[in-house]
Amino acid sequence: IILGILVATLVNHALAGAVGAWVVRMLGAELLKWVLGLSFVAMAVWMLIPDRLDEDDARTPARYGVFGTTVIAFFLAEMGDKTQGATVALAAKYAAFYAVVAGTTLGMLLANAPAVLLGEKIAKAMPVRLVHAVAAVVFAVLGVLVLFGDAEKYLAAP
C-alpha cells in the first residue's frame, strides 16, 4: 500500500510540478505574485473544508491487487486535491521542479505511511480539525506574504 501511495504521489506531483513550472514561464513576476498569493489564500480556505471520500471513489476492481488498486485509487483521489494545488504553487514559486516534487512526495509519505501502519489508532487520536486549522494558517500567512511583500523577494529561486 505504501509503495502504491509513493508511485501515485510521484506521478501526481510530477504533473503538478510541471504545471507549476509552465506557469512560471508563462506569467510575469507581478502577475505571478498575485496568482500565487491568491492561490495560497484559497488553499487556506480549502483546508478548512473537510475531505470526503465517496464510496464510488473507494471501489476499484480487485483484479489489480493491492498495489494496483492503491495506485489507481490514490492517484484519482489526489487529482485536484489540496496537495496537488500546493505542489503547483510551490513549483511556480521556487522553480525547482525536482526538489518540490521530492519534498511534497516525502510529505505525503510522512502523512500517509503512519496512517497505513497504525490505521485506526491514529485516526481516533489525531485532531484532524486542528491539523487542518494549522495548515490553513500557514497557507494564509504565505499568501499574505506573497501578496503584500516584494514580488522579487518571494518569487526568486532560493
Side-chain angles (χ1 to χ4, degrees):
I1 291 174
I2 293 171
L3 184 59
I5 290 171
L6 171 65
V7 169
T9 303
L10 277 172
V11 172
N12 192 295
H13 289 199
L15 290 171
V19 168
W22 175 79
V23 166
V24 168
R25 288 192 306 272
M26 300 306 290
L27 304 177
E30 189 62 27
L31 181 57
L32 183 59
K33 172 183 119 169
W34 285 98
V35 169
L36 287 175
L38 293 174
S39 295
F40 281 128
V41 171
M43 289 299 296
V45 172
W46 196 2
M47 287 303 301
L48 299 174
I49 300 170
D51 288 330
R52 287 185 298 232
L53 178 64
D54 295 330
E55 288 201 23
D56 291 341
D57 292 341
R59 289 186 205 144
T60 304
R63 67 177 174 245
Y64 298 121
V66 172
F67 174 76
T69 300
T70 301
V71 169
I72 292 167
F74 204 82
F75 180 83
L76 292 175
E78 290 300 309
M79 287 301 293
D81 197 19
K82 296 168 184 116
T83 52
Q84 191 178 42
T87 302
V88 170
L90 290 169
K93 180 180 182 339
Y94 291 108
F97 175 81
Y98 294 109
V100 168
V101 171
T104 57
T105 300
L106 179 60
M108 287 294 289
L109 286 177
L110 289 173
N112 287 293
V116 170
L117 298 173
L118 301 174
E120 193 174 329
K121 290 179 184 179
I122 282 185
K124 288 181 180 178
M126 184 188 320
V128 176
R129 284 185 156 187
L130 176 62
V131 171
H132 281 214
V134 169
V137 168
V138 169
F139 277 118
V141 168
L142 286 172
V144 169
L145 287 173
V146 171
L147 286 172
F148 298 106
D150 179 16
E152 296 301 319
K153 177 181 176 184
Y154 292 109
L155 299 178

